[in-house]
């Protein structure tokens, strides 16, 4: 007579992990995909507004601005309303932030900021 012993194996065979191998063409494709957002942002900046800024369109000479010293209690909103009462203060505040390269809307008394000359004509 024969006996049959049915038992599960003590361990599962391990499948070796494969390494990702990039060819030269694969590296070029990944580099192009990584650079794509920067290229698109640059193209959008050129198409959307860079041309008008470079041509100096608008009534004022290119780069014309006035200097204002911030007084205690002044905010960007109050300065924008004083500079261009007939314009939307949100647009004027945005222009002031871009012109002065401000990282936030916080101002310090005694700070000198620049205002575009053409905002008073709005």
């Amino acid at each position: 007579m024969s006996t049959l012993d049915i038992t599960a194996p003590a361990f599962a065979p391990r499948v070796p992990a494969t390494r990702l191998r990039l060819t030269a063409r694969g590296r070029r494709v990944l580099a192009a995909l990584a650079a794509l957002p920067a290229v698109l942002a640059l193209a959008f900046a050129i198409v959307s507004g860079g041309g008008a800024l470079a041509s100096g369109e608008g009534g004022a000479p290119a780069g014309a601005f006035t200097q204002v010293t911030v007084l205690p209690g002044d905010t960007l909103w109050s300065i924008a309303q004083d500079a261009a009462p007939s314009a939307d203060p949100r647009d004027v505040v945005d222009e002031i932030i871009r012109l002065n390269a401000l990282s936030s809307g916080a101002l310090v008394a005694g700070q000198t900021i620049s205002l575009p000359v053409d905002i008073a004509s709005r």
Side-chain angles (χ1 to χ4, degrees):
M1 234 197 230
S2 65
T3 54
L4 195 56
D5 189 19
I6 302 175
T7 59
F11 63 93
R14 183 174 174 162
V15 177
T18 59
R19 291 184 50 201
L20 177 65
R21 294 184 189 129
L22 287 177
T23 62
R25 183 173 64 178
R27 286 190 292 272
R28 285 191 298 264
V29 168
L30 284 178
L33 288 175
L36 186 63
V39 171
L40 290 177
L42 180 62
F44 179 73
I46 291 171
V47 170
S48 68
L53 292 175
S55 67
E57 293 176 4
F65 56 89
T66 60
Q67 298 284 331
V68 174
T69 303
V70 178
L71 300 175
D74 278 349
T75 62
L76 284 174
W77 191 269
S78 66
I79 292 171
Q81 285 179 326
D82 290 343
S86 61
D88 185 4
R90 293 172 292 194
D91 296 333
V92 178
V93 166
D94 186 47
E95 284 186 58
I96 294 171
I97 288 174
R98 274 191 273 134
L99 178 65
N100 294 285
L102 299 174
S103 59
S104 70
L107 296 176
V108 179
Q111 179 181 1
T112 302
I113 60 172
S114 301
L115 301 176
V117 171
D118 64 341
I119 64 172
S121 63
R122 294 182 188 180

